[in-house]
Amino acid sequence: LTSFRKKSSVNLLDLIKNDLSNLGINNPQLSFSFSKLLDFSSSGLDSINLLFSANKGYELKKVTDIASGGEISRLMLCVKKHLFAVNNFSSIIFDEIDAGVSGEIGRKMGRVLKDMSQTRQVICITHLPQIASLGDTHYYVYKDEAKTSSKTKIIKLTNSQRVEEIARMLSGDEVNDEAFANAKKMLDI
C-alpha cells in the first residue's frame, strides 16, 4: 500500500500543480511527506502530509501551516476533482469550496465545477454569484424561524428568481439596475 501511494502521489502532484496554475496560483510547489507509523492505523502504516508553497523561492511546509483560506479552497477543489474522476461516485457535494476567493478566481473555480458536472452530479453550496451563475439548477436555502424553533427550507428558483438572487448576491440588500444587468450577463440571458 505504501509503494502504491508513493507511486500514485507523483501523478497526482502533477495534475494538481497544473490545476492550481489554472486557478491563479502561478508557482505552486507540492510534495507528499511519507513517514512510517509504529503501529497500524485505520489507514495503514503511513502518516502522510501534504507540503505546499504558493510562491516561488519559499520553503515547502505542511499545507495546514502555510496556506491561506483561498489557497486551501483551490487546493481542495483540485484534489477532489481528481478523486471524483477516479472514483465511482454518482455525486459530490461542495459546501463553500470557494471560501477565501472571489471575482476572477471564483469564476475559474465555477468552471472547474461545471466541467465536473458534465459526467456526474455536482452540488455546490456557495455565496459567490460567479459560481452560482454557472449551475444548471439554482436552489435557495434559508431558515424559517418561528417563536420556538427554526427550520431550514429550500426552494428551486425560476429563471426570473435566479436573476434576482444573483443580483442580490452581487449587490447585497439594495439591488439596482446595474446588478440586474450584471446578473443577466452572468447567466447569459
Side-chain angles (χ1 to χ4, degrees), residues 12-13 15-17 19-20 23 30 32 50 63 71-87 92 94 97 112 116:
L12 183 59
L13 288 174
L15 294 170
I16 293 171
K17 284 180 189 178
D19 286 345
L20 287 173
L23 293 175
L30 295 164
F32 285 105
L50 178 59
V63 71
E71 291 165 346
I72 289 174
S73 292
R74 288 179 270 180
L75 184 58
M76 287 304 302
L77 177 60
C78 296
V79 169
K80 288 185 177 193
K81 169 188 167 187
H82 294 292
L83 291 176
F84 189 55
V86 298
N87 286 301
I92 189 168
F94 292 100
I97 192 68
V112 170
M116 290 173 66

Side-chain angles (χ1 to χ4, degrees), residues 3 8 33 35 48 52 54 59 63 76 81 94 111 117 129 140 147 157 159 163 168:
S3 175
S8 298
S33 167
S35 57
I48 305 169
F52 175 75
E59 180 183 348
V63 71
M76 287 304 302
K81 169 188 167 187
F94 292 100
R111 287 189 186 109
S117 75
Y140 179 71
K147 285 185 179 183
L157 300 181
N159 286 338
V163 171
R168 188 199 59 75

Side-chain angles (χ1 to χ4, degrees), residues 89-108:
F89 302 129
S90 61
S91 61
I92 189 168
I93 299 172
F94 292 100
D95 186 1
E96 298 188 34
I97 192 68
D98 51 18
V101 300
S102 61
E104 178 187 359
I105 300 302
R107 192 66 166 183
K108 287 179 179 183

